[in-house]
Amino acid sequence: MTQEPAVEQLIARGRDALARSQYLSALDDLQAAAAQRPGFADVQNMLGLCLSMLGRADEALAAFARATELNPGYVEAHVNQAITLNDLGRVDEARESFRRAAEADEAKGGRFPSAAAARIANLHRELGDAYEQAGAAEEAVAQYRAAVGIRPQFLDIRTRLGRTLIEMGSLDEAAAELEAVLDQNPGFAQARANLGLARFRAGDLDAAEREWRRCLQQQPANAQVSAYLGMLERRRGEARSA
């Protein structure tokens, strides 16, 4: 998968540095990861934590806002946003963020308390990433499915699941996962780019083009999607000359 191992290594390094309170080091890796994959809510939340600990509260709030836009049910990001707002003396806004966190937590239900469920889901995701990097796609899919079963609103994990299914050739399953992501967040450009890829590999070039054109409307400078469209035009050219 193009660039994914490098991105996952950046995220893993950033998470590890954050856990060790090495905020500047974590920030460097997480900003690099976010530049390549801006649609990962977990990365945005970790960025916010780093920025908050470095005293860059306004930037931290912007990162938490991106995380909750990508995943409105992200309880931890709502809580982190509320804590940062409270530290700034913006008590009414902090109260509202805590309210949204409580509503999201209540809506989730499930077998585990929110913090535990998020941790377990992320552990499944980390193991899935490790399997994927080792070339064990079926094992990666099993771990991503386990994560999604616990936290279906973690849209970045569902997107990884969709992309891995594409690489396995399970195109209908991949499209279903990615459509579920886009139902919850139509602005998730990475999920839409991957849905276009699933359509392309299934031979539906018109549907692929529609998805990729919508991506470029959202992110005109998205080089990956521009490359996909170039690939599509080459495929059409080959078909015309055949």
Side-chain angles (χ1 to χ4, degrees):
M1 293 172 58
T2 305
Q3 293 185 324
E4 287 295 337
V7 172
E8 297 309 331
Q9 288 165 12
L10 289 167
I11 294 171
R13 278 203 322 239
R15 183 180 288 110
D16 185 57
L18 179 60
R20 297 197 311 271
S21 302
Q22 296 176 352
Y23 302 118
L24 284 173
S25 177
L27 185 63
D28 286 343
D29 284 330
L30 293 170
Q31 284 178 327
Q36 294 187 53
R37 293 292 182 270
F40 283 7
D42 197 33
V43 172
Q44 297 295 337
N45 182 54
M46 289 190 290
L47 270 176
L49 287 170
C50 288
L51 290 162
S52 180
M53 297 306 296
L54 291 168
R56 295 160 61 176
D58 288 340
E59 294 172 82
L61 289 173
F64 294 137
R66 286 191 294 273
T68 56
E69 286 168 7
L70 289 164
N71 179 4
Y74 199 158
V75 175
E76 292 74 17
H78 284 298
V79 169
N80 290 332
Q81 186 178 51
I83 291 169
T84 305
L85 287 165
N86 194 63
D87 288 344
L88 291 172
R90 295 160 61 176
V91 178
D92 290 342
E93 293 172 82
R95 189 178 295 116
E96 175 63 17
S97 289
F98 277 125
R99 183 191 65 77
R100 288 197 298 268
E103 286 182 351
D105 194 30
E106 183 178 350
K108 287 174 181 176
R111 296 168 54 200
F112 308 107
S114 176
R119 178 60 179 152
I120 293 168
N122 280 320
L123 286 170
H124 279 298
R125 186 212 65 233
E126 290 173 16
L127 186 53
D129 292 345
Y131 275 124
E132 186 178 33
Q133 291 174 30
E138 290 185 5
E139 289 84 352
V141 163
Q143 293 301 320
Y144 292 146
R145 287 198 190 282
V148 168
I150 295 168
R151 277 292 182 260
Q153 67 274 29
F154 279 16
L155 302 186
D156 50 344
I157 301 178
R158 296 197 81 164
T159 300
R160 296 183 202 196
L161 171 58
R163 180 60 190 252
T164 307
L165 287 166
I166 291 171
E167 296 304 318
M168 289 176 61
S170 301
L171 301 177
D172 289 341
E173 291 181 80
E177 288 294 339
L178 295 164
E179 286 170 346
V181 171
L182 292 167
D183 284 344
Q184 294 185 58
N185 183 0
F188 198 154
Q190 188 60 50
R192 194 170 298 283
N194 287 340
L195 179 57
L197 186 61
R199 301 301 190 205
F200 178 84
R201 292 196 178 176
D204 192 343
L205 303 189
D206 291 341
E209 182 175 17
R210 284 195 297 272
E211 300 300 341
W212 289 337
R213 294 291 180 197
R214 289 188 65 181
C215 285
L216 285 186
Q217 288 175 357
Q218 296 168 344
Q219 296 181 352
N222 191 316
Q224 179 188 45
V225 173
S226 295
Y228 284 159
L229 285 166
M231 176 176 67
L232 184 147
E233 289 306 315
R234 287 192 297 274
R235 173 72 63 83
R236 283 178 169 157
E238 291 168 358
R240 286 192 295 266
S241 61

